[in-house]
Amino acid sequence: MEPSGATRVVILGGGAAGLFAAISAAEYGADVTVIEKNPFCGKKLNITGKGRCNITNACDIDTFLQNVPVNPRFLYRALTEFLPSDTVDFFESHGVPTKVERGRRVFPVSDRARDVTDCLVRTAKESGVRILQGTGISLVIGDGAVKGITAVCGGRRETFACECVILATGGASYPLTGSTGDGYKLAEQAGHTVVAPKASLVPLVSSDPLCKACMGLSLRNVGVSFERGGKKLYEEQGEMLFTHFGVTGPVVLSASAHLRNGYPATMHIDMKPALDEKTLDDRLLREFSAHINKDLRNCMNTLLPAGLIQPFLDKYGIAGEQKVHSITKEERKKLAASLKNIELTITGTRPIAEAIITSGGVAVTEVDPRTMQSKKLSGLFFAGELLDVDAYTGGYNLQIAFSTGRLAGHASAMYSETE
């Protein structure tokens, strides 16, 4: 079905969800204006994936939904309408070749997030989308429907008349990129419930001296697990980083989404996840036999990164200056057990401003999953992180932005108050 005339659509937010909604609405013939508070679009998009932009995850829908801990079923329609493979096809066909890395993560071949942003902005403009710098102030509402939006653009207050408004302003993470919670206020103006935002995919805090002593040290291919009250909450293998406040890195950020029900929690780090304790003990025995007259600290460089050796020995009260030949069988087994289980007490998270994404947002029970349209106010749509859905790291959150943006864009272009 084609729209009966050019529906006027105003989109608040020029990030991944907003730009994709704009492209999708324009594709269906809508008259589209994007209002972005930053001087340029995609400021947050440009820093995702450490500036490389993990645009999606090359998996099927069932696997995808297993990686969405909050309201996954709400996304089913959006994902079936626009799959991860569709995202890859879109960027490939618009001059951004992609590649798949570990964990099915999809990146641009160039490893440049800006190429993704430039592609979206270029495609939007080529589709006739107008992009203005400004900040949305309030919705114009009449007869139970959106009639427009008032914004401050270029220092002037201006009202944009339209049939549809798409809110794609992001959450409350990384506020310096423009995600300052503006969309929550507009959603509440329309009568929506906003689930209190909190940090998700966020670094974790620990006061263990090991963290500060190892600040800046990155660990690769380690096993991590988290538990609270004897219940295991998360387990993964991958990369992490020690900081002055605790720990961060991919496996830590993903773990934070599982720890949302409170702290403290215990983190376990397995430095040798490929070896069981018996095999590791046999390896220690061989290492010690080859360096029998060395100090312990000087023969551990094949077992631990140099920067971790002394902090590790200090944590477990193991004398690094003792000669290897003096180490007893019991001491060697303790060393093996400690290498398999470095324990840290996690006391909380860093502030929401440091989170990659926000958990919480517009309650999805008040949004039609078939269109992303508000059930409270006709002509109001939502896309992206503003909604109360979030996923683990690995490209899932950007795919949610693209899929919900696509659905909201198409539905808004097809919209008429009489339907």
Side-chain angles (χ1 to χ4, degrees):
M1 182 173 68
E2 292 297 326
S4 57
T7 303
R8 291 170 298 173
V9 178
V10 175
I11 299 171
L12 205 60
L19 288 172
F20 224 80
I23 293 166
S24 302
E27 180 181 86
Y28 269 44
D31 178 283
V32 184
T33 300
V34 172
I35 301 176
E36 164 58 41
K37 71 189 305 182
N38 290 306
F40 55 89
C41 291
K43 190 171 183 180
K44 186 175 180 181
L45 186 59
N46 286 339
I47 63 172
T48 60
K50 298 181 181 178
R52 298 176 61 218
C53 194
N54 180 188
I55 60 173
T56 190
N57 191 281
C59 65
D60 58 31
I61 290 180
D62 288 340
T63 301
F64 193 103
L65 294 177
Q66 289 167 15
N67 284 276
V68 182
V70 178
N71 297 317
R73 299 309 301 178
F74 173 79
L75 295 169
Y76 188 83
R77 177 64 176 269
L79 288 168
T80 54
E81 293 280 328
F82 198 74
L83 297 160
S85 58
D86 294 323
T87 296
V88 171
D89 290 344
F90 173 86
F91 285 106
E92 292 272 358
S93 65
H94 286 81
V96 182
T98 63
K99 60 183 176 179
V100 180
E101 296 189 358
R102 183 180 59 83
R104 305 178 307 272
R105 291 168 165 84
V106 181
F107 292 88
V109 169
S110 65
D111 286 329
R112 281 173 41 92
R114 191 168 293 277
D115 289 349
V116 174
T117 303
D118 289 347
C119 171
L120 293 174
V121 172
R122 181 178 65 252
T123 304
K125 289 181 175 179
E126 288 173 351
S127 302
V129 174
R130 291 178 297 279
I131 299 176
L132 305 177
Q133 184 182 0
T135 302
I137 301 298
S138 63
L139 298 170
V140 179
I141 300 171
D143 300 323
V146 164
K147 300 297 182 182
I149 188 165
T150 299
V152 175
C153 298
R156 294 188 311 164
R157 192 181 181 95
E158 186 174 353
T159 296
F160 297 83
C162 60
E163 286 77 47
C164 297
V165 169
I166 301 176
L167 297 181
T169 55
S173 57
Y174 286 132
L176 292 178
T177 65
S179 296
T180 53
D182 298 350
Y184 300 143
K185 298 174 186 176
L186 296 174
E188 287 175 333
Q189 182 195 351
H192 278 277
T193 304
V194 175
V195 178
K198 56 184 176 180
S200 185
L201 303 188
V202 63
L204 298 175
V205 174
S206 174
S207 59
D208 194 298
L210 180 78
C211 297
K212 189 171 286 188
C214 296
M215 179 175 59
L217 177 65
S218 178
L219 302 180
R220 297 178 182 273
N221 298 318
V222 295
V224 300
S225 63
F226 292 78
E227 56 94 10
R228 183 172 53 241
K231 180 182 178 182
K232 185 174 288 187
L233 303 173
Y234 180 76
E235 186 173 22
E236 186 57 274
Q237 186 172 326
E239 182 180 350
M240 60 166 287
L241 175 74
F242 291 108
T243 72
H244 67 285
F245 58 75
V247 287
T248 187
V251 294
V252 172
L253 296 175
S254 288
S256 70
H258 295 261
L259 305 180
R260 59 182 82 241
N261 293 324
Y263 298 89
T266 303
M267 178 180 183
H268 304 273
I269 306 171
D270 184 349
M271 296 301 300
K272 300 296 176 186
L275 307 177
D276 60 27
E277 279 195 32
K278 167 94 171 47
T279 307
L280 180 56
D281 183 55
D282 291 343
R283 177 175 169 180
L284 286 175
L285 193 57
R286 291 195 302 273
E287 294 277 352
F288 290 173
S289 297
H291 305 96
I292 198 164
N293 292 315
K294 280 189 174 184
D295 289 351
L296 174 61
R297 68 164 63 93
N298 295 328
C299 70
M300 291 191 65
N301 58 340
T302 62
L303 300 166
L304 291 172
L308 181 55
I309 292 172
Q310 193 58 53
F312 169 81
L313 294 174
D314 292 343
K315 179 176 176 67
Y316 290 102
I318 301 170
E321 67 276 7
Q322 65 181 313
K323 298 297 182 184
V324 167
H325 62 71
S326 70
I327 295 175
T328 66
K329 178 180 179 180
E330 289 71 25
E331 289 172 330
R332 191 183 71 245
K333 287 185 176 296
K334 176 187 176 182
L335 182 61
S338 300
L339 287 167
K340 292 287 292 178
N341 184 24
I342 299 175
E343 286 194 10
L344 302 176
T345 298
I346 304 299
T347 56
T349 72
R350 293 293 285 174
I352 194 169
E354 296 180 28
I356 293 178
I357 63 164
T358 306
S359 179
V362 175
V364 297
T365 54
E366 301 170 356
V367 179
D368 187 341
R370 299 168 299 174
T371 60
M372 296 296 129
Q373 184 174 193
S374 165
K375 295 179 181 178
K376 299 278 188 177
L377 184 65
S378 186
L380 179 64
F381 297 78
F382 300 96
E385 192 183 347
L386 187 63
L387 292 159
D388 183 25
V389 292
D390 63 86
Y392 304 138
T393 57
Y396 303 105
N397 288 291
L398 268 183
Q399 181 63 47
I400 290 171
F402 296 141
S403 292
T404 57
R406 181 79 163 188
L407 197 55
H410 280 176
S412 65
M414 306 288 285
Y415 170 87
S416 76
E417 289 182 41
T418 57
E419 287 183 352

